[in-house]
Amino acid sequence: MIDDETVQQLQMRLAELKSEHRDLDDVISKVMDSGPHDQLQMVRLKKRKLMLKDEILRLESKLLPDIIA
């Protein structure tokens, strides 16, 4: 079981990651809309966004209690 302080830290980290994920989504949209763009930069942005999503899912699964059906 995770103690309350650890849960609070995980929730804060999760909020930071979600915010960064949203911000990155906005950046990707702006780059796409601005006309010609650097493909390498776009690949890096999308890869970072995917890594953030994976980390978000990992933290969310840590915060949810295991339920035995």
Side-chain angles (χ1 to χ4, degrees):
M1 197 76 191
I2 301 175
D3 63 19
D4 289 340
E5 186 176 331
T6 304
V7 167
Q8 199 171 31
Q9 290 173 348
L10 289 174
Q11 288 173 335
M12 286 183 356
R13 179 69 180 141
L14 186 59
E16 290 170 2
L17 291 172
K18 285 182 176 184
S19 176
E20 186 178 350
H21 188 268
R22 279 189 306 271
D23 292 345
L24 200 51
D25 201 27
D26 291 341
V27 169
I28 290 170
S29 293
K30 287 178 185 175
V31 170
M32 296 282 285
D33 292 342
S34 68
H37 55 274
D38 182 6
Q39 279 299 112
L40 183 57
Q41 178 191 23
M42 189 58 61
V43 168
R44 287 180 178 159
L45 289 171
K46 288 182 177 184
K47 187 173 184 178
R48 175 69 180 148
K49 185 179 170 190
L50 184 58
M51 288 171 50
L52 286 171
K53 185 65 174 177
D54 290 344
E55 182 70 11
I56 289 168
L57 291 173
R58 188 183 69 75
L59 287 178
E60 286 177 339
S61 71
K62 269 188 168 182
L63 289 170
L64 292 176
D66 290 333
I67 299 173
I68 299 174

